[in-house]
Amino acid sequence: MEAFTSDSTEIIVLAAAGGLFLIQIIYYLCLYNRIHARSRAVKQGDTHFTQELPPISVIICVCEESENLRRNLSAVLEQDYPKFEVIVINDDDTDKSEDYLTILEEKYPHLYHSFVPESSRYISRKKLAVMLGIKASKYDWMVFTNADCMPQSNQWLRLMARNFTPRTQVVLGYSGYERGKGWLHKRAAFDNLFTSMRYLGFALAGSPYMGIGRNLAYRKELFYQQKGFSAHLNLQRGDDDLFINHVATPENTRVETDAKAIVRMPPLLRAKDWKEEKIGYASTARLYHGMQRRLAGFETLSRLAFHATWTAAMIIGILHFHWLAAGVAFLLFLLRFTMQAVIVNKTACDLEEQRSYYFTLPVFDLLQPIQSLRWKWYCLFRKKSGFLRK
């Protein structure tokens, strides 16, 4: 009876690992492989782009970022694009950003800047800055980025604009980190890559659900049609992800992932900065419409469950000298790892990421969902405790 029980347990655990393996295969082939599939389709000429280059308003909101402006703004101002303006909305002038922008306007006539009034206290200052930038813009198509982001090439605006078809109202772009060192930076770079594979993959699959304001474009007309940020005006965040979640549809959204259309952030040096960013997005994710968030959460849980079941099945097989069962369990891990490594590294290559993921992939594969769940639980605790700011 004891042998029967142990064998039954082994079969159940191994069958569970097999089922979770199939779920993971589906996610990687049907979702996470989308960016690489798009890159291949573009190279083969299977993707339609418009030839028109409408005028563009680039909007950048800054807060005590004079160093970032000195480092990155010229790369935005010197884009190879026929007609565009750059609008910088300054939220604070304690670091002399205002003086630098005034000097720069003499050299670049298409640069304009304004500021957020000090009296504005009852609304998210970031959202107010974005709204001021939109109100000041001359053109219908608006491209958004941050002061700490540098376009990877002077073709950034052209590549974003090739998606401005008559039906398109939203264009999602990719933002990545510059080359950096240290364990924290490597973890953050992988998390950023994987998160992008997820939300851009959903968009490429016809189910857009969020965007990130470091590399994002949409029409001014759409912003006013949706009454701006009125649906979530009480929240400190949501000027990018929540807004796109409310307005993006399969018909009006396109994705640009060409390597020359990427914007790069500086290497991550402080864990506090990464934590604040991830908790910020986790706090608004609970308000997303649609099934995408639940599907993404299911992938996270199935990934953790897969690692638990194949490990348990292999250990049980070894303890009972069932080498075939142990070998099958390890084979499931090996097959998934091979498929995952191919898709992740091909995508990283398409996006010209500076590192490959092979030996570190199993570690990051476990750390990424654990950290993600930790941030979600942290936000849930703060919300129930009344500490989540609105």
Side-chain angles (χ1 to χ4, degrees):
M1 183 70 178
E2 183 180 350
F4 175 78
T5 302
S6 63
D7 288 347
S8 299
T9 301
E10 184 177 281
I11 292 172
I12 291 172
V13 175
L14 192 59
L20 292 164
F21 168 78
L22 291 176
I23 292 172
Q24 285 287 294
I25 290 290
I26 292 171
Y27 269 97
Y28 271 89
L29 294 180
C30 298
L31 178 64
Y32 297 136
N33 193 42
R34 292 279 178 173
I35 292 178
H36 176 62
R38 179 195 182 275
S39 299
R40 190 170 53 200
V42 171
K43 290 178 182 178
Q44 295 173 351
D46 296 333
T47 304
H48 168 70
F49 296 110
T50 181
Q51 299 300 315
E52 297 182 10
L53 295 174
I56 291 175
S57 296
V58 181
I59 298 175
I60 305 173
C61 301
V62 304
C63 182
E64 298 183 6
E65 296 184 82
S66 62
E67 291 186 9
N68 286 329
L69 289 173
R70 294 175 187 276
R71 180 174 179 264
N72 301 322
L73 188 55
S74 61
V76 177
L77 290 164
E78 295 172 4
Q79 286 289 299
D80 176 23
Y81 199 81
K83 189 174 184 180
F84 71 104
E85 63 177 356
V86 178
I87 301 172
V88 177
I89 304 298
N90 190 12
D91 190 17
D92 203 336
D93 191 30
T94 59
D95 65 343
K96 307 303 180 183
S97 299
E98 188 80 11
D99 295 339
Y100 177 69
L101 290 168
T102 301
I103 294 172
L104 213 58
E105 283 179 340
E106 297 179 3
K107 180 180 179 181
Y108 299 100
H110 56 299
L111 170 64
Y112 310 92
H113 80 278
S114 186
F115 60 92
V116 178
E118 282 294 327
S119 58
S120 305
R121 302 182 184 276
Y122 303 104
I123 183 177
S124 162
R125 294 184 67 83
K126 175 63 183 299
K127 288 180 180 175
L128 180 57
V130 173
M131 289 190 290
L132 290 173
I134 292 173
K135 186 175 181 180
S137 63
K138 297 178 182 177
Y139 309 124
D140 185 43
W141 270 108
M142 303 175 298
V143 177
F144 299 84
T145 190
N146 291 347
D148 65 345
C149 294
M150 176 183 288
Q152 188 150 308
S153 79
N154 66 351
Q155 300 300 302
W156 169 49
L157 290 182
R158 280 185 177 268
L159 290 167
M160 292 291 283
R162 68 179 179 173
N163 296 281
F164 297 169
T165 65
R167 296 179 60 188
T168 305
Q169 293 182 299
V170 177
V171 179
L172 308 178
Y174 175 75
S175 56
Y177 286 100
E178 298 173 0
R179 179 187 288 272
K181 297 181 180 180
W183 180 247
L184 174 66
H185 176 74
K186 291 178 181 178
R187 283 178 57 196
F190 177 81
D191 180 80
N192 179 75
L193 174 65
F194 192 83
T195 300
S196 299
M197 290 172 63
R198 175 176 284 173
Y199 85 88
L200 294 178
F202 269 116
L204 289 167
S207 298
Y209 75 99
M210 66 166 285
I212 293 180
R214 293 188 293 261
N215 197 1
L216 173 67
Y218 53 81
R219 291 182 185 269
K220 183 194 293 189
E221 178 187 16
L222 176 68
F223 182 81
Y224 287 128
Q225 284 177 351
Q226 299 296 323
K227 299 180 180 179
F229 303 129
S230 60
H232 45 87
L233 200 60
N234 60 316
L235 300 177
Q236 287 294 318
R237 294 188 58 93
D239 55 280
D240 50 4
D241 60 336
L242 272 182
F243 178 74
I244 297 302
N245 180 258
H246 282 87
V247 304
T249 67
E251 294 77 23
N252 76 355
T253 303
R254 294 189 62 152
V255 175
E256 181 53 64
T257 58
D258 190 283
K260 293 182 179 180
I262 294 172
V263 299
R264 295 284 178 191
M265 303 170 283
L268 190 69
L269 301 177
R270 300 193 309 170
K272 179 183 177 182
D273 296 335
W274 189 35
K275 178 182 177 181
E276 288 178 354
E277 177 187 349
K278 298 303 292 186
I279 288 177
Y281 279 112
S283 66
T284 53
R286 62 190 173 87
L287 302 175
Y288 291 171
H289 298 156
M291 288 294 295
Q292 296 91 331
R293 182 171 67 93
R294 293 180 177 83
L295 290 172
F298 181 68
E299 188 279 324
T300 298
L301 292 175
S302 68
R303 190 191 330 175
L304 292 173
F306 170 75
H307 285 300
T309 52
W310 82 260
T311 303
M314 187 175 69
I315 292 174
I316 293 172
I318 292 173
L319 292 176
H320 293 89
F321 303 103
H322 296 166
W323 305 115
L324 179 60
V328 170
F330 182 72
L331 181 62
L332 289 175
F333 162 77
L334 198 61
L335 288 173
R336 179 186 176 275
F337 169 75
T338 302
M339 174 204 62
Q340 180 189 34
V342 169
I343 291 176
V344 168
N345 284 288
K346 282 188 174 181
T347 303
C349 182
D350 293 332
L351 298 173
E352 292 189 358
E353 292 295 322
Q354 299 297 323
R355 60 179 51 84
S356 57
Y357 298 96
Y358 290 103
F359 297 110
T360 57
L361 188 54
V363 179
F364 290 149
D365 191 45
L366 275 172
L367 287 179
Q368 195 269 339
I370 292 173
Q371 192 69 52
S372 177
L373 289 173
R374 178 187 171 191
W375 284 317
K376 289 179 181 179
W377 290 336
Y378 179 80
C379 291
L380 183 62
F381 170 76
R382 292 184 68 187
K383 179 175 180 289
K384 288 185 176 180
S385 302
F387 293 117
L388 191 61
R389 290 186 64 193
K390 288 192 174 184

